Structure formats: structure tokens, C-alpha cells
């Protein structure tokens, strides 16, 4: 339509940023330094306490957000409150025209891994800092927590159920990150629509209470309604009142082909054994047991010997207690081809654009990551097989073709976990699974 600014017709991501990115830009435009060629790198100085590896997640979302990082008139009206006319005109025509390399989404990372390398003019690169970090830090934190839970579950089905414990707009991204790391399904329907994830969910205690008296005498009415509507393959929530009575009512209503029963409270290990015994005695030997209720990787590991078929995880996956920040930073490391580095105590950075290789034995077990100057020769790897970690993501402002799909990134996480030395999968505190060596 004539007269419509396309930048206003889409959901711009340009204001998902901090004001100081724009004030730096204004000063750099004023003194001419905005046009100097620079490289910024994303890395984590250390892993969260108790973690032995991290999972790179959010790259696909970041590249989608980059395409919509445009300043239309509505965005310019906000920043016009504190920017001069020269900067506003520069922003009006802004698009990222540089290059981005990075670890493929789903790759493992360790302290100092150069997860993302952004090259271009200072002005166009500095604007991306907050967008890059907000997406990668959020998604990588959740994927890293989810990967630990998947390992603890040892092949049992995992359902992400964290929507009610996080921000409504963050919930679909959390679902995507959990699926990337190996979860099987999500309860969040926006994630189903947006990312094509498998959905899961049946009913809550409210539905049982709706159909029941205060003493639970009519609990079977809720089960009957659910089975009549959703079929015998559904999962019935059996712990609203007395769990033994609940299981008995569930099988009486649905028969021995009932798909599953869910336990959401109490001592889950003890209850799972009791329920499994009761189901088997009633002839429902194929009915699965689903447990939920404040599960984290340690609770899941503790249930490994119990007859649990499916885990539902929410709070510990999407909140800071279970998924602590990935701690990634976005630092300027090169200006006009010369290395620059921050020297602040405990917040230092290493100057110069870098590459990284990961070494593995012929069995596939990884043993070391080597980070080295991008302008230098690849390091000698001796008897070990070496794999380059950074891949092209953006060239001349355009996303490259052939990047991994979500399914392929999911497979990369799985293969990465298999490649870790056995101690790298421990849930206890300890050193990173492999050392990182920095060459100058």
C-alpha cells in the first residue's frame, strides 16, 4: 500500500534494546568512529555454579529477530526523545550489513568459547548487543538446564510445563529451548503453533474438583467425562483426594487400556511404586505413570529406579533457580584489524577475532577445546580429531542458506552429550567437562 512504511507493518525488534546502545551510537557518529571496522564476540567467562557444560540455544530466534531490527517512524518517535537528527537519519536507513559466525545452535560450549563473532562497523554492531544477549542468555540457560534433565531421565519421556512460571511472552521460547535440548513435548500452544513442537496436556485438579463432592465421592464423574471426550488413551490425574481410590476409580471408568495416570504431589518415588503395583494388580499393565511437581534434574535422577514413564517439568526449567543465567557477554575484541581487550578485574576479555576447534578421540569422546587467533594457523592436534566450531551465519547482512533446522539442532545436542567424557554428565559440582586452551 502506497505511503505505508514496511518497517511499521511488521513487529520491529529495534526497541528490544538498552538506551545506552543508542547514545554510544550518537557519540560515535559525531566523532566519526561509528564507521570503524570492528569485531564483537559473545562468550561466557565461566559456567553457572555446578554446571559442566552449556548448550548454545536461541541462534535461530536471533537470526529471525535480526531481520526485523528496523527503525520505522514509531520506533524513531521513541528514540527522538534523546537523539539528535543525524543519528535519527542514520537509524532510519539502518540494516545490518556485516558478517556473523557462530557455534551452530545445539552445540555445547565451555568457558571462553567464542560462541558468536559479529563483524561490521562499530555503529551497526554495537546496536545488536542487547538483542543478542537477551536471546542467547535466556535460551541457552534453559537449554542447558533441560539437557541435564534429559540426561537424568535416561530416555524417559519429558514434557515441558513451565508456562505458568515464566513471562507469557518468554514461555514459547522456553518451550523451544527445552525441545532443542531433548524434551519431547510442551504444554504451551503458542510454541506448538510458532515452532511446530508436539503438544501435550489433559486436565488439572480443578476439573476433578468441579465434578466431585468435598470428600471426593464423585471423583469418577470427572474421569468419565474426560474419557468420554478424549478417549481411553488420555491421562487421568489421580491424586486430588486419596490416590489409591483415584487409581481404582480411573481403571473402573477407563478400563485396563487407560493411557496414563498422573501424580502431582507427595513422595513421588513411593507413590509411583504403589501406583504401579496397584495398576498391575488391576490388569492395567500398559498404563503409564506420569509424575510432575517441582521436578529438577536431581529429583529426576533420584526417581531413575522408580517405575516412572514420563516426567512433567515446569518451575525448575524456566526460573532462575533451575536455569541460572548463562552469563554470556558481548565484547569488542578488534578495531580496524587490531586486537583490543578489557582488563577489568574478574571481567577481562581476550583481544582479537578468534576461531575454535574441539578435539576428540577416535571413539568420539571430546577431550579439549582450543581457541586461537583467526588470523593464525590452525593448532596442531596430534592424535586427536579436530572439528572447527564456528560456522557462517550471516554474510553481508543476509542469513546464509542451509543452517540447521530445529530438528537438526536437537540431534546436535544429543550427539554432543554422547561425546562428553562420563564425568561431564555428573550433576554434582565440578570442573567443566573438558578444558579450554587459549593460544595467542
Amino acid at each position: 500500500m502506497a505511503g505505508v512504511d514496511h518497517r511499521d507493518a511488521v513487529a520491529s525488534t529495534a526497541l528490544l534494546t538498552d538506551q545506552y546502545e543508542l547514545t554510544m551510537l550518537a557519540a560515535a557518529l559525531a566523532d566519526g568512529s561509528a564507521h570503524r571496522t570492528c569485531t564483537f564476540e559473545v562468550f561466557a567467562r565461566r559456567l553457572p555454579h555446578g554446571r559442566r557444560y552449556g548448550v548454545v540455544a536461541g541462534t535461530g530466534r536471533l537470526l529471525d529477530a535480526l531481520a526485523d531490527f528496523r527503525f520505522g517512524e514509531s520506533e524513531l518517535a521513541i528514540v527522538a526523545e534523546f537523539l539528535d537528527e543525524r543519528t535519527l537519519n542514520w537509524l532510519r536507513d539502518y540494516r545490518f550489513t556485516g558478517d556473523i559466525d557462530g557455534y551452530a545452535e545445539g552445540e555445547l560450549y565451555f568457558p571462553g568459547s567464542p560462541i558468536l563473532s559479529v563483524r561490521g562497523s562499530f555503529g551497526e554492531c554495537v546496536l545488536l548487543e542487547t538483542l543478542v544477549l537477551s536471546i542467547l542468555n535466556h535460551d541457552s540457560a534453559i537449554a542447558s538446564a533441560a539437557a541435564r534433565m534429559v540426561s537424568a531421565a535416561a530416555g524417559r519421556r519429558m514434557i515441558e510445563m513451565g508456562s505458568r512460571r515464566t513471562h507469557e511472552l518468554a514461555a514459547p521460547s522456553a518451550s523451544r529451548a527445552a525441545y532443542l535440548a531433548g524434551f519431547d513435548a510442551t504444554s504451551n500452544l503458542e510454541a506448538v503453533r510458532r515452532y511446530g513442537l508436539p503438544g501435550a496436556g489433559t486436565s488439572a485438579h480443578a476439573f476433578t474438583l468441579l465434578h466431585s463432592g468435598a470428600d471426593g465421592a464423585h471423583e469418577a464423574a470427572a474421569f468419565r467425562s474426560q474419557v468420554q471426550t478424549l478417549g481411553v488413551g488420555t491421562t487421568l490425574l489421580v491424586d486430588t483426594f486419596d490416590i489409591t481410590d483415584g487409581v481404582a476409580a480411573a481403571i473402573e471408568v477407563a478400563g485396563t487400556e487407560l493411557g496414563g495416570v498422573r501424580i502431582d504431589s507427595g513422595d513421588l518415588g513411593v507413590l509411583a511404586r504403589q501406583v504401579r503395583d496397584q495398576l498391575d494388580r488391576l490388569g492395567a499393565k500398559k498404563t503409564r505413570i506420569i509424575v510432575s511437581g517441582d521436578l529438577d534434574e536431581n529429583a529426576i535422577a533420584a526417581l531413575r529406579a522408580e517405575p516412572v514413564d514420563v516426567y512433567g517439568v515446569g518451575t525448575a526449567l524456566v526460573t532462575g533457580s533451575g536455569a541460572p543465567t548463562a552469563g554470556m557477554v558481548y565484547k569488542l575484541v578488534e578495531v580496524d584489524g587490531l586486537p583490543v581487550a578489557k582488563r577489568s578485574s574478574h571481567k577481562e576479555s581476550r583481544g582479537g577475532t578468534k576461531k575454535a576447534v574441539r578435539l576428540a578421540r577416535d571413539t568420539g569422546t571430546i577431550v579439549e577445546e582450543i581457541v586461537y587467533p583467526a588470523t593464525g594457523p590452525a593448532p596442531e592436534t596430534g592424535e586427536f580429531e579436530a572439528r572447527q566450531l564456528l560456522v557462517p551465519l550471516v554474510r553481508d547482512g543476509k542469513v546464509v542458506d542451509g543452517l540447521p533446522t530445529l530438528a537438526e539442532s536437537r540431534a546436535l545436542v544429543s550427539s554432543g552429550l554422547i561425546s562428553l567424557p562420563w564425568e561431564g554428565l555428573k550433576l554434582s559440582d565440578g570442573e567443566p567437562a573438558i578444558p579450554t586452551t587459549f593460544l595467542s
Side-chain angles (χ1 to χ4, degrees), residues 186-219:
T186 179
S187 64
N188 186 277
L189 290 180
E190 179 59 26
V192 172
R193 180 181 74 162
R194 191 180 302 178
Y195 304 117
L197 308 189
T202 51
S203 70
H205 293 291
F207 187 75
T208 303
L209 292 169
L210 173 69
H211 292 78
S212 305
D215 59 355
H218 304 293
E219 188 174 20

Coordinates of all heavy atoms in Angstrom, one line a residue, residues 186-219:
T186 N 5.5 -30.1 24.7 CA 5.3 -28.9 25.5 C 3.8 -28.7 25.8 O 3.0 -29.2 24.9 CB 5.8 -27.6 24.9 OG1 5.6 -26.5 25.7 CG2 5.2 -27.4 23.5
S187 N 3.5 -28.1 26.9 CA 2.1 -27.8 27.1 C 1.7 -26.4 26.5 O 0.5 -26.1 26.5 CB 1.8 -27.7 28.7 OG 2.6 -26.6 29.2
N188 N 2.6 -25.7 26.0 CA 2.4 -24.3 25.5 C 1.9 -24.3 24.1 O 2.7 -24.7 23.2 CB 3.7 -23.5 25.7 CG 3.4 -22.0 25.4 OD1 3.4 -21.6 24.2 ND2 3.1 -21.2 26.4
L189 N 0.7 -23.9 23.8 CA 0.2 -24.0 22.5 C 0.8 -22.9 21.5 O 0.8 -23.2 20.3 CB -1.3 -23.8 22.5 CG -2.1 -25.0 23.1 CD1 -3.6 -24.8 23.2 CD2 -1.7 -26.3 22.4
E190 N 1.2 -21.8 22.0 CA 1.9 -20.9 21.1 C 3.2 -21.4 20.6 O 3.6 -21.2 19.4 CB 2.2 -19.5 21.8 CG 2.9 -18.5 21.0 CD 2.1 -18.1 19.7 OE1 0.9 -18.2 19.7 OE2 2.8 -17.7 18.8
A191 N 3.9 -22.2 21.4 CA 5.1 -22.9 21.0 C 4.8 -24.0 19.9 O 5.5 -24.2 19.0 CB 5.9 -23.5 22.1
V192 N 3.6 -24.6 20.1 CA 3.2 -25.6 19.1 C 2.9 -24.9 17.8 O 3.3 -25.4 16.7 CB 1.9 -26.3 19.6 CG1 1.3 -27.2 18.5 CG2 2.2 -27.1 20.8
R193 N 2.3 -23.7 17.8 CA 2.0 -23.0 16.6 C 3.2 -22.4 16.0 O 3.5 -22.6 14.8 CB 1.0 -21.9 16.9 CG 0.6 -21.1 15.6 CD -0.3 -20.0 15.9 NE 0.3 -18.8 16.6 CZ -0.3 -17.6 16.6 NH1 -1.4 -17.4 16.0 NH2 0.3 -16.6 17.3
R194 N 4.0 -21.8 16.8 CA 5.2 -21.0 16.3 C 6.3 -21.9 15.8 O 6.9 -21.6 14.8 CB 5.6 -20.0 17.3 CG 6.7 -19.0 16.9 CD 7.1 -18.1 18.0 NE 5.9 -17.4 18.6 CZ 6.1 -16.6 19.6 NH1 7.2 -16.3 20.2 NH2 5.0 -15.9 20.1
Y195 N 6.6 -22.9 16.5 CA 7.8 -23.7 16.2 C 7.5 -25.2 15.8 O 8.4 -25.9 15.5 CB 8.7 -23.8 17.5 CG 9.1 -22.4 17.9 CD1 8.7 -21.9 19.2 CD2 9.8 -21.5 17.1 CE1 9.1 -20.7 19.6 CE2 10.2 -20.3 17.5 CZ 9.8 -19.8 18.8 OH 10.1 -18.6 19.2
G196 N 6.2 -25.5 15.8 CA 5.8 -26.9 15.3 C 6.2 -28.0 16.3 O 6.4 -29.1 16.0
L197 N 6.2 -27.6 17.6 CA 6.5 -28.6 18.6 C 5.3 -29.5 18.9 O 4.2 -29.1 18.8 CB 6.9 -27.9 19.9 CG 8.0 -26.8 19.9 CD1 8.4 -26.4 21.3 CD2 9.2 -27.3 19.1
P198 N 5.6 -30.7 19.4 CA 4.5 -31.6 19.8 C 3.9 -31.1 21.1 O 4.6 -30.6 22.0 CB 5.2 -33.0 20.1 CG 6.5 -32.9 19.4 CD 6.9 -31.4 19.4
G199 N 2.5 -31.1 21.1 CA 1.8 -30.6 22.3 C 1.4 -31.7 23.2 O 1.2 -32.9 22.8
A200 N 1.2 -31.4 24.5 CA 0.7 -32.4 25.4 C -0.1 -31.7 26.6 O 0.2 -30.6 26.9 CB 1.9 -33.2 26.0
G201 N -1.0 -32.5 27.1 CA -1.8 -31.9 28.3 C -3.2 -32.5 28.3 O -3.8 -32.8 27.3
T202 N -3.7 -32.7 29.5 CA -5.1 -33.3 29.7 C -5.9 -32.4 30.6 O -6.8 -31.7 30.2 CB -5.0 -34.7 30.1 OG1 -4.2 -34.8 31.3 CG2 -4.4 -35.6 29.0
S203 N -5.7 -32.6 31.9 CA -6.6 -31.8 32.9 C -5.8 -31.5 34.2 O -4.7 -32.1 34.4 CB -7.8 -32.6 33.2 OG -7.5 -33.8 34.0
A204 N -6.4 -30.7 35.0 CA -5.8 -30.3 36.3 C -6.8 -30.6 37.4 O -7.9 -31.1 37.2 CB -5.6 -28.8 36.2
H205 N -6.4 -30.3 38.6 CA -7.2 -30.7 39.8 C -8.5 -30.0 39.7 O -9.5 -30.5 40.2 CB -6.4 -30.3 41.1 CG -5.2 -31.1 41.3 ND1 -5.3 -32.4 41.6 CD2 -3.9 -30.8 41.3 CE1 -4.0 -32.9 41.8 NE2 -3.2 -31.9 41.6
A206 N -8.6 -28.8 39.1 CA -9.8 -28.0 39.1 C -10.9 -28.8 38.4 O -12.1 -28.8 38.8 CB -9.6 -26.7 38.4
F207 N -10.6 -29.6 37.4 CA -11.6 -30.4 36.6 C -12.1 -31.5 37.5 O -13.3 -31.7 37.5 CB -11.0 -30.9 35.4 CG -12.0 -31.6 34.4 CD1 -12.8 -30.8 33.7 CD2 -12.0 -33.0 34.4 CE1 -13.7 -31.5 32.8 CE2 -12.9 -33.6 33.5 CZ -13.8 -32.8 32.8
T208 N -11.3 -32.1 38.3 CA -11.7 -33.2 39.2 C -12.6 -32.6 40.3 O -13.7 -33.1 40.6 CB -10.5 -33.9 39.8 OG1 -9.7 -34.4 38.8 CG2 -11.0 -35.0 40.7
L209 N -12.2 -31.4 40.9 CA -13.0 -30.8 41.9 C -14.3 -30.3 41.4 O -15.3 -30.4 42.1 CB -12.2 -29.6 42.5 CG -10.9 -30.0 43.3 CD1 -10.1 -28.7 43.6 CD2 -11.3 -30.7 44.6
L210 N -14.4 -29.9 40.1 CA -15.6 -29.5 39.5 C -16.7 -30.5 39.6 O -17.9 -30.3 39.8 CB -15.4 -29.0 38.1 CG -16.6 -28.7 37.3 CD1 -17.2 -27.4 37.8 CD2 -16.2 -28.5 35.8
H211 N -16.3 -31.8 39.4 CA -17.2 -32.9 39.3 C -17.4 -33.7 40.6 O -18.2 -34.6 40.7 CB -16.8 -33.9 38.2 CG -16.8 -33.3 36.8 ND1 -15.9 -32.5 36.3 CD2 -17.8 -33.5 35.9 CE1 -16.2 -32.2 35.1 NE2 -17.3 -32.8 34.8
S212 N -16.6 -33.3 41.7 CA -16.6 -34.1 42.9 C -17.2 -33.4 44.1 O -17.2 -32.2 44.1 CB -15.1 -34.4 43.2 OG -14.5 -35.0 42.1
G213 N -17.7 -34.2 45.0 CA -18.1 -33.6 46.3 C -16.9 -33.3 47.1 O -15.7 -33.6 46.8
A214 N -17.1 -32.7 48.3 CA -15.9 -32.3 49.1 C -15.1 -33.5 49.6 O -13.9 -33.4 49.8 CB -16.5 -31.6 50.4
D215 N -15.7 -34.7 49.6 CA -15.0 -35.9 50.1 C -14.5 -36.7 48.9 O -13.9 -37.8 49.1 CB -15.9 -36.7 51.0 CG -17.1 -37.2 50.2 OD1 -17.4 -36.7 49.1 OD2 -17.9 -38.0 50.8
G216 N -14.7 -36.2 47.7 CA -14.2 -36.9 46.5 C -15.0 -38.0 46.1 O -14.6 -38.9 45.3
A217 N -16.2 -38.1 46.6 CA -17.1 -39.3 46.4 C -17.5 -39.4 44.9 O -17.7 -40.6 44.5 CB -18.4 -39.2 47.3
H218 N -17.5 -38.4 44.2 CA -17.9 -38.4 42.8 C -16.7 -38.2 41.9 O -16.8 -37.7 40.8 CB -19.0 -37.4 42.5 CG -20.2 -37.6 43.4 ND1 -21.0 -38.7 43.4 CD2 -20.7 -36.8 44.4 CE1 -21.9 -38.6 44.3 NE2 -21.7 -37.5 44.9
E219 N -15.5 -38.5 42.3 CA -14.3 -38.3 41.5 C -14.4 -39.0 40.2 O -13.9 -38.5 39.1 CB -13.1 -38.9 42.3 CG -11.7 -38.6 41.7 CD -10.6 -39.1 42.6 OE1 -10.8 -39.9 43.5 OE2 -9.5 -38.6 42.4

